[in-house]
Amino acid sequence: MALRRQSVVLAVLLAPVTLFLGVFFLLPLLIIALFSFLSPGLYGGVEWTFYHWNYGRIFGWADGVNEIFEPIYLKILIRSLGFAALTVVLTLILCYPVAFWVSRLSERWRLLFLFLITLPFFCSLIVRLYAWLLILKPTGLLNTILLRAGLVSAPLEILYTPTAVVLGMVYVMVPFMFLPLYVSVDTLDRAQVEASQDLGANRVQTFLKVILPQTLPGIAGGSVIVFIPAVGNFVVPDVLGGAKGLMIGNLVEQQFLSARNWPFGSALSMIIMAVVLAVLMLSVSRARRAGGHA
Amino acid sequence: MSALLEINAARREFVTPEGGRLAALDGVDLTVGANEFVTLLGPSGCGKTTLLRAISGFEMLDSGTMRLGGADLTVLPPFRRPVNTVFQSYALFGHMTVARNVGYALEVAGASRTVREGQVAEALEKVGLSGLGARRPGQLSGGQRQRVALARAIIAKPRLLLLDEPLSALDRNLRQQMQLELKTLQHSLGIAFIFVTHDQEEALTMSDRIVVMRAGRVEQIGTPRDIYRHPRNRFVAEFIGETNLFAVTVDRIEGSLALARTGEGVEMHLPATGRSVGERVTAILRPTDFTLGNGGIPGRVTRVVYLGSDLYIFVQPQTGGPEIRVIARDGAGTEEGAAVHLAHDPTRVHVLEAM
């Protein structure tokens, strides 16, 4: 009886979120999945006929009649994955040592630092990216300083390059990497670190054999949380990237808003989702293997 | 006795949150022999853990020296010291199997897999955990984890094993069993143990010598019998075992006996050696030093605690003054309210000259 009652309570509690996700997340997703197999309407929208050429246009089985295969889409996809991976690596390198430093601060300074890390969320992303635009442009802050200091003779061309895109994404993603990392570093058992040294392991060995494995959940969590939005990001390349900084998210945006090719945009979206899902499953299964029992 | 560990004038200060300075070690001298079981005993904050951490290398001394087997240890980092520790929390590596935990010291020293496997099996057998090598620490009971920590700490054959209150998390029965096992293990390994505890009973049972510490200083070093029968001062007397303290003035001396009296008029006999009339001293008597009889201090039983074959009774002296704690045989005349006389053997009285 008690069990039955519990499951009723559980169902009641879960109903609102299930309904919400079902209507506003799963349904649109199914619509996009469906659209990706339909043909584009003349002025946007879709024609209700089965049409696999959207994918053919990306992966290469387009016959040249319905659609034309253009390798640029795959290139942009691979570039996006590369940018996202680079963003993960750079945020990780930036945040990992800082997490250790912060976890050793006194209570007061630690809270202040955690507040500072979340401070960017108080300001619109677009505004912050335009600030970067002002910093990076040829007559911007960075170049002015470098020129005045005599470190460069001509302004650096950073804006509208892949460098600017990665820089912007690293900037945006740092808090997402830092917080999970910090949690795992903060809960690291210091006694185990001492035990390792006590048993003769030097600092490098202790790091590789004890500290790194113990903080792996944080590294994996932060990486996934950074990688997923980074792959599909279109705001950063929109503001800071030029033609060479274009990412797959921008393509999707263009297909829906400018080219009015909804089915093709949907197909691109599905590909992003497939890649993200694959990465997620890989990291979960690896984490499970590394974590083992308890 | 050949000295294995020699500590001279060890000093370590900490800055308190209020900005003051606190000497956790305030000039500690200690020598430990090659096969000795030494216990560091004291209340929390006495510096015993700091001393242990200074030996393992996790605290550096502000001044003083430390030598192990003649080699200077003072500035070596923990991983260069031939000393291993059993941590209070065990500090087992949760992401490794029991076998890899135990073999860790060999792994980081670069021992081959076959060497490691052999020695791990041997170490696990020594602590009675054969066959559990493939488990994870999370799947073991508290007592088993304790043994894994022990096996891990002895596998590299240290000359000195440090144990930081390793039994405090175990229940009473298991703790007593582990006390005996630790003692046996120490004998069979033939190495020195330095054992930190705040449990005086544990210290008395296991140690060759006890180091009683207070506020960063060594109060007394001696065998358990020494410490118990001849405490050097009031602190040691009160910290080790149950104690009755009497502030007395010597009244007169008769042959080998000195008659002394407390302020309230409780009379007792002390050995006359070294005593002089009018001298004020502290007399120490353990609860077991009294016998219930016809002569002695008259009083009334106020409280009785049943211990099994013995009784723990509180006696209020007729003349007044603090209650006297006595351990007596269960028998007639020991019920609450009974009038009793407490006799004592004068030679059992330990006298502190300082008040």
Side-chain angles (χ1 to χ4, degrees), chain B residues 5-200:
Chain B
L5 178 74
E6 292 166 90
I7 299 173
N8 272 309
R11 196 176 162 75
R12 177 79 171 106
E13 277 185 358
F14 291 108
V15 177
T16 62
E18 292 79 37
R21 290 180 158 272
L22 179 81
L25 296 178
D26 192 3
V28 171
D29 297 312
L30 178 65
T31 308
V32 175
N35 297 316
E36 229 187 343
F37 195 121
V38 172
T39 298
L40 307 182
L41 178 67
S44 51
C46 71
K48 56 189 193 294
T49 297
T50 306
L51 181 56
L52 199 77
R53 289 174 61 79
I55 298 169
S56 56
F58 293 113
E59 296 291 346
M60 289 293 161
L61 296 180
D62 294 331
S63 63
T65 59
M66 199 176 285
R67 301 175 76 77
L68 186 82
D72 192 8
L73 217 58
T74 319
V75 295
L76 284 187
F79 55 89
R80 294 246 170 78
R81 299 188 182 205
V83 168
N84 289 125
T85 308
V86 176
F87 290 83
Q88 185 173 12
S89 62
Y90 312 148
L92 298 179
F93 306 125
H95 60 287
M96 299 180 190
T97 61
V98 165
R100 201 168 157 222
N101 263 282
V102 173
Y104 191 81
L106 305 177
E107 181 185 326
V108 297
S112 75
R113 197 187 178 83
T114 44
V115 169
R116 244 154 53 200
E117 278 171 1
Q119 294 197 31
V120 166
E122 198 181 313
L124 281 175
E125 199 188 323
K126 263 183 203 149
V127 298
L129 286 184
S130 293
L132 294 187
R135 300 257 183 105
R136 297 263 176 171
Q139 298 170 297
L140 302 180
S141 71
Q144 288 172 326
R145 279 184 226 181
Q146 160 76 74
R147 287 159 195 264
V148 174
L150 199 57
R152 185 178 70 174
I154 60 174
I155 198 161
K157 303 187 168 58
R159 300 167 70 184
L160 175 60
L161 187 69
L162 309 175
L163 302 102
D164 186 7
E165 307 207 25
L167 307 182
S168 59
L170 304 180
D171 64 55
R172 190 181 162 83
N173 283 335
L174 194 54
R175 195 161 68 226
Q176 285 174 341
Q177 187 192 337
M178 284 305 292
Q179 285 175 3
L180 291 175
E181 281 186 33
L182 275 179
K183 194 74 189 148
T184 314
L185 187 70
Q186 188 239 341
H187 273 297
S188 72
L189 291 173
I191 64 174
F193 275 29
I194 296 183
F195 187 95
V196 163
T197 184
H198 60 264
D199 181 339
Q200 39 108 354

Side-chain angles (χ1 to χ4, degrees), chain A residues 128-160:
Chain A
R128 287 184 282 136
L129 286 177
Y130 273 97
W132 272 99
L133 194 138
L134 294 180
I135 293 170
L136 295 179
K137 68 178 183 178
T139 56
L141 187 68
L142 181 68
N143 276 314
T144 312
I145 292 171
L146 289 177
L147 284 170
R148 290 269 172 83
L151 291 170
V152 293
S153 51
L156 291 177
E157 297 283 345
I158 300 175
L159 195 62
Y160 307 130

Side-chain angles (χ1 to χ4, degrees), chain A:
Chain A
M1 277 310 277
L3 201 72
R4 201 194 162 87
R5 202 186 144 139
Q6 256 183 10
S7 58
V8 170
V9 170
L10 199 65
V12 170
L13 288 174
L14 288 178
V17 70
T18 311
L19 208 67
F20 184 87
L21 285 180
V23 173
F24 294 104
F25 173 71
L26 267 183
L27 200 61
L29 201 66
L30 287 175
I31 293 173
I32 293 291
L34 183 66
F35 276 15
S36 73
F37 288 103
L38 297 176
S39 64
L42 207 50
Y43 305 103
V46 292
E47 298 282 339
W48 289 87
T49 48
F50 177 71
Y51 192 77
H52 57 80
W53 307 110
N54 295 319
Y55 291 101
R57 191 173 163 189
I58 301 164
F59 291 118
W61 69 76
D63 56 3
V65 179
N66 286 302
E67 297 284 354
I68 301 162
F69 168 59
E70 284 162 290
I72 185 73
Y73 299 123
L74 270 183
K75 264 192 207 158
I76 291 177
L77 175 67
I78 289 165
R79 177 202 290 168
S80 303
L81 292 174
F83 281 4
L86 197 57
T87 305
V88 167
V89 171
L90 290 176
T91 49
L92 188 60
I93 291 172
L94 276 177
C95 295
Y96 198 65
V98 178
F100 279 90
W101 177 71
V102 173
S103 75
R104 275 155 199 255
L105 290 178
S106 72
E107 176 89 13
R108 190 153 48 116
W109 289 107
R110 204 166 57 222
L111 289 177
L112 179 72
F113 192 91
L114 292 177
F115 170 71
L116 288 178
I117 275 280
T118 53
L119 198 60
F121 294 124
F122 289 81
C123 180
S124 155
L125 176 63
I126 302 287
V127 172
R128 287 184 282 136
L129 286 177
Y130 273 97
W132 272 99
L133 194 138
L134 294 180
I135 293 170
L136 295 179
K137 68 178 183 178
T139 56
L141 187 68
L142 181 68
N143 276 314
T144 312
I145 292 171
L146 289 177
L147 284 170
R148 290 269 172 83
L151 291 170
V152 293
S153 51
L156 291 177
E157 297 283 345
I158 300 175
L159 195 62
Y160 307 130
T161 65
T163 311
V165 174
V166 172
L167 199 64
M169 291 221 290
V170 167
Y171 162 74
V172 172
M173 293 301 174
V174 153
F176 296 96
M177 179 58 91
F178 181 82
L179 293 174
L181 267 187
Y182 171 75
V183 169
S184 75
V185 166
D186 198 46
T187 52
L188 178 71
D189 182 5
R190 297 243 185 276
Q192 288 186 34
V193 177
E194 288 193 349
S196 170
Q197 295 185 9
D198 186 75
L199 293 165
N202 60 34
R203 290 175 185 92
V204 176
Q205 286 172 316
T206 298
F207 177 76
L208 291 178
K209 288 173 190 286
V210 176
I211 298 175
L212 196 61
Q214 299 261 348
T215 53
L216 208 56
I219 295 173
S223 300
V224 167
I225 291 179
V226 169
F227 185 80
I228 291 174
V231 172
N233 197 309
F234 63 91
V235 180
V236 175
D238 216 36
V239 178
L240 299 177
K244 283 188 180 158
L246 201 69
M247 288 175 66
I248 194 144
N250 301 99
L251 284 185
V252 175
E253 188 204 10
Q254 283 172 9
Q255 291 309 316
F256 275 96
L257 300 181
S258 316
R260 300 277 169 113
N261 190 339
W262 292 11
F264 186 54
S266 302
L268 288 170
S269 300
M270 293 315 290
I271 289 166
I272 298 179
M273 265 204 45
V275 168
V276 162
L277 220 61
V279 169
L280 198 65
M281 275 158 61
L282 195 74
S283 71
V284 166
S285 71
R286 286 202 61 172
R288 198 166 281 165
R289 222 177 312 144
H293 316 272

Side-chain angles (χ1 to χ4, degrees), chain B residues 326-349:
Chain B
V326 179
I327 289 178
R329 288 251 115 173
D330 192 2
T334 51
E335 63 278 8
E336 275 177 34
V340 290
H341 283 82
L342 299 177
H344 66 267
D345 177 353
T347 60
R348 301 290 282 182
V349 181

Side-chain angles (χ1 to χ4, degrees), chain B residues 184-237:
Chain B
T184 314
L185 187 70
Q186 188 239 341
H187 273 297
S188 72
L189 291 173
I191 64 174
F193 275 29
I194 296 183
F195 187 95
V196 163
T197 184
H198 60 264
D199 181 339
Q200 39 108 354
E201 198 185 308
E202 202 163 272
L204 291 174
T205 339
M206 303 175 75
S207 320
D208 293 322
R209 280 191 308 153
I210 297 176
V211 180
V212 183
M213 294 183 69
R214 175 172 62 160
R217 291 175 169 279
V218 172
E219 292 286 333
Q220 188 171 359
I221 302 181
T223 62
R225 182 182 299 273
D226 245 8
I227 301 264
Y228 188 76
R229 295 270 30 140
H230 306 289
R232 187 181 289 164
N233 56 37
R234 218 184 147 112
F235 172 79
V236 176

